[in-house]
Amino acid sequence: MKKTYINGVGCISTQKTFDTVFLEEAVYNQKDTVFTLVKPEYKEYVSPAASRRMAKGVKNGIVASALAMKDSNTEKVDAIITGTGMGCIEDSDRFLKNILDNNEEFLTPTSFIQSTHNTVGAQIALLMQCKGYNFTYVNGVVSFESALLDAKLQIEEEEASSILVGGIDENTDYTMSLYKLAGFVKNDQETPFDVLKETSTGVVYGEGASFFVLENERKESTYAQILDVEIINSLEENEVETEILAFLKTNNLQISDIDAVVLGFNGDAHFDSYYKNLARNTFAQTPQLYYKHLSGEFNTASAFGLWIASKVIQTQEIPNIIKVNSVEKPAYNTILLYNQYKGKNHSFTLLSK
Amino acid sequence: MEALKEELKNKIITTLNLEDITLEDIHDNDPLFGDGLGLDSIDALELIVILDKDYGIKLVDPKEGKTIFQSIETMAAYIQANRTK
């Protein structure tokens, strides 16, 4: 059975995560309830003629995937697998609004073409001329982990030797206005936000695209090996520790073997207790990291978390801005990521150097 | 007629997301497809919808499009002669 290595990463996010090393320019925005993306120079990656029919999620996906390919020094992959919770929602909004505004008449193809969830994977494949397996997972907050798990299984089973995997989501004014009405987004009046100390419900939203080149061999560019990925739909707070112990045991590891744990704190007081319990008890002696105060919450924010974990293993450094506690380890070789949203869709990802 | 041409140019830029194109870049007699503005078949569908939605013109014979959508000049002339709104 082949092993799976992260050999290249690319990230476009609400932080300057391109043309930088590792969050040296990161800013903790505690005022806004919705973060917007730091845009790269799209023209360097896609021609204006092609980009005019691309939603922003598509453009971000193309840039992030190009960065990952360049980082891994790879020109071709055998497969492209993406995860997205909401797809190209901006064009979905536009298409649906057109239907309503025009009484179901005069529908044009452009917004429809751009609005499908698999547009990102398809456009990347077209640009790379990759005619292999191309799949998009739309599974809420485990969309990215579903893609990652598929890729890992394909590499292990030798169905593919190199796979481009990514998580992409974009936010829009209309969707955010609905989320605000539904109470998913924090109240603007409650600033400044502090993800680790929040007592209110709702979260600060974000968007982004993170891509990874996974291959079946270690290279000079290797960040980490993906040891395991697990997805569980429902877990009670008191079941998480047992689940983690069992997950680690399957990989012949225990809590003390974990050099850092990346937790998906998002500032929702109702559900961050899942993480707080772990932080106070199970991982009290382990360096703890968080990232959604930088990326915002969105369905594939955990891909940003994987980008963080990969960078920590590569650089062997943890920037202060992502530290939850002050515990340190001499080396960061084994990292566990845990994420959930509203107590559902739990994912565990295990990396080792 | 000049106002209609300018209106069409604006509609084309907005509807077809021609981000880097300005009104001045589109000359009245430049071909819209191929070597000129470089529009394609999906854009042609968008133009047909503009005719229908904004000027009340339904193209019955798709072959007509080739002549009508040659340039801003031909498009404006056709709209002026056939518009119902």
Side-chain angles (χ1 to χ4, degrees):
Chain A
M1 201 163 71
K2 294 280 186 183
K3 292 175 178 172
T4 308
Y5 298 95
I6 299 175
N7 285 348
V9 303
C11 181
I12 301 299
S13 71
T14 53
Q15 300 292 330
K16 181 92 186 295
T17 41
F18 54 92
D19 298 335
T20 53
V21 180
F22 185 26
L23 297 179
E24 65 272 24
E25 293 181 30
V27 178
Y28 185 3
N29 176 347
Q30 294 181 273
K31 290 178 184 167
D32 294 323
T33 53
V34 179
F35 295 164
T36 48
L37 202 105
V38 178
K39 286 183 186 173
E41 196 60 58
Y42 294 119
K43 286 178 194 168
E44 289 176 15
Y45 299 88
V46 55
S47 73
S51 79
R52 72 192 175 91
R53 246 183 241 130
M54 288 179 182
K56 65 175 174 178
V58 177
K59 285 191 268 195
N60 295 327
I62 285 172
V63 177
S65 63
L67 292 173
M69 295 292 285
K70 190 178 172 194
D71 194 33
S72 70
N73 206 14
T74 304
E75 287 183 1
K76 290 238 168 196
V77 288
D78 298 327
I80 298 170
I81 310 176
T82 57
T84 177
M86 300 296 280
C88 301
I89 188 71
E90 191 170 22
D91 284 278
S92 302
D93 283 355
R94 196 172 295 152
F95 185 64
L96 294 172
K97 188 174 183 298
N98 277 341
I99 291 177
L100 293 172
D101 290 350
N102 296 310
N103 199 24
E104 298 185 19
E105 286 186 287
F106 310 122
L107 295 176
T108 58
T110 307
S111 296
F112 177 69
I113 292 168
Q114 292 176 164
S115 68
T116 54
H117 287 68
N118 56 358
T119 308
V120 183
Q123 289 288 354
I124 293 169
L126 276 172
L127 283 171
M128 287 172 45
Q129 286 297 298
C130 174
K131 292 169 183 160
Y133 181 86
N134 193 307
F135 207 90
T136 298
Y137 286 88
V138 184
N139 292 346
V141 300
V142 289
S143 300
F144 173 68
E145 283 73 14
S146 304
L148 197 61
L149 186 57
D150 185 357
K152 185 173 178 293
L153 290 170
Q154 298 223 24
I155 285 178
E156 280 177 0
E157 297 301 321
E158 300 185 39
E159 296 282 333
S161 57
S162 60
I163 301 181
L164 185 62
V165 182
I168 320 101
D169 270 296
E170 62 183 28
N171 57 33
T172 72
D173 291 344
Y174 183 65
T175 303
M176 286 305 125
S177 69
L178 295 180
Y179 281 10
K180 280 181 183 173
L181 281 175
F184 296 171
V185 182
K186 284 212 179 288
N187 188 332
D188 292 319
Q189 312 304 317
E190 292 170 358
T191 55
F193 301 114
D194 185 341
V195 163
L196 296 178
K197 294 176 183 162
E198 283 299 316
T199 51
S200 63
T201 58
V203 300
V204 170
Y205 268 85
E207 57 185 346
S210 301
F211 272 79
F212 305 85
V213 173
L214 306 186
E215 291 177 301
N216 62 3
E217 56 183 13
R218 193 178 281 280
K219 295 197 320 197
E220 204 174 306
S221 67
T222 296
Y223 285 75
Q225 183 191 341
I226 299 179
L227 290 180
D228 207 350
V229 181
E230 186 171 87
I231 296 167
I232 298 172
N233 178 256
S234 257
L235 276 178
E236 295 299 325
E237 273 182 47
N238 58 9
E239 294 173 326
V240 177
E241 180 178 328
T242 314
E243 194 54 49
I244 288 176
L245 292 172
F247 177 66
L248 294 179
K249 197 177 174 187
T250 358
N251 291 284
N252 299 315
L253 294 170
Q254 47 194 353
I255 298 293
S256 57
D257 295 318
I258 301 300
D259 298 319
V261 60
V262 181
L263 299 167
F265 281 107
N266 63 10
D268 185 334
H270 270 181
F271 299 99
D272 267 1
S273 46
Y274 275 85
Y275 304 118
K276 282 179 180 165
N277 282 343
L278 294 174
R280 284 182 195 137
N281 304 305
T282 323
F283 292 107
Q285 304 306 316
T286 308
Q288 300 161 10
L289 285 59
Y290 71 133
Y291 55 92
K292 288 180 187 166
H293 60 307
L294 302 181
S295 68
E297 175 66 283
F298 53 100
N299 283 295
T300 48
S302 54
F304 182 80
L306 184 65
W307 178 83
I308 294 257
S310 305
K311 286 282 187 179
V312 167
I313 291 179
Q314 185 208 37
T315 62
Q316 289 293 300
E317 281 180 17
I318 301 178
N320 284 332
I321 200 165
I322 55 170
K323 284 180 180 174
V324 175
N325 62 4
S326 54
V327 179
E328 291 185 352
K329 288 253 183 166
Y332 300 101
N333 294 334
T334 307
I335 296 185
L336 173 72
L337 294 99
Y338 168 51
N339 188 51
Q340 53 83 20
Y341 180 67
K342 289 184 180 289
K344 299 282 180 195
N345 289 322
H346 303 256
S347 64
F348 305 96
T349 305
L350 193 55
L351 301 184
S352 77
K353 194 171 182 183
Chain B
M1 187 71 166
E2 288 307 312
L4 176 60
K5 284 182 199 168
E6 191 168 320
E7 183 180 295
L8 276 176
K9 288 177 189 175
N10 273 320
K11 279 185 197 292
I12 286 173
I13 289 170
T14 313
T15 312
L16 307 183
N17 297 324
L18 302 175
E19 290 167 356
D20 293 330
I21 304 284
T22 61
L23 282 182
E24 292 71 35
D25 294 328
I26 309 178
H27 302 292
D28 294 352
N29 289 303
D30 281 355
L32 293 178
F33 294 82
D35 291 339
L37 209 51
L39 305 186
D40 58 23
S41 57
I42 294 173
D43 297 316
L45 285 171
E46 299 277 1
L47 294 182
I48 289 170
V49 171
I50 289 177
L51 285 192
D52 194 354
K53 184 178 162 187
D54 298 341
Y55 304 104
I57 301 172
K58 282 193 192 297
L59 282 191
V60 184
D61 180 6
K63 285 177 192 163
E64 280 184 300
K66 206 171 178 181
T67 330
I68 299 164
F69 299 134
Q70 257 179 4
S71 63
I72 290 290
E73 186 74 41
T74 56
M75 213 175 149
Y78 186 80
I79 290 170
Q80 200 167 44
N82 297 282
R83 67 189 302 171
T84 59
K85 61 177 177 184

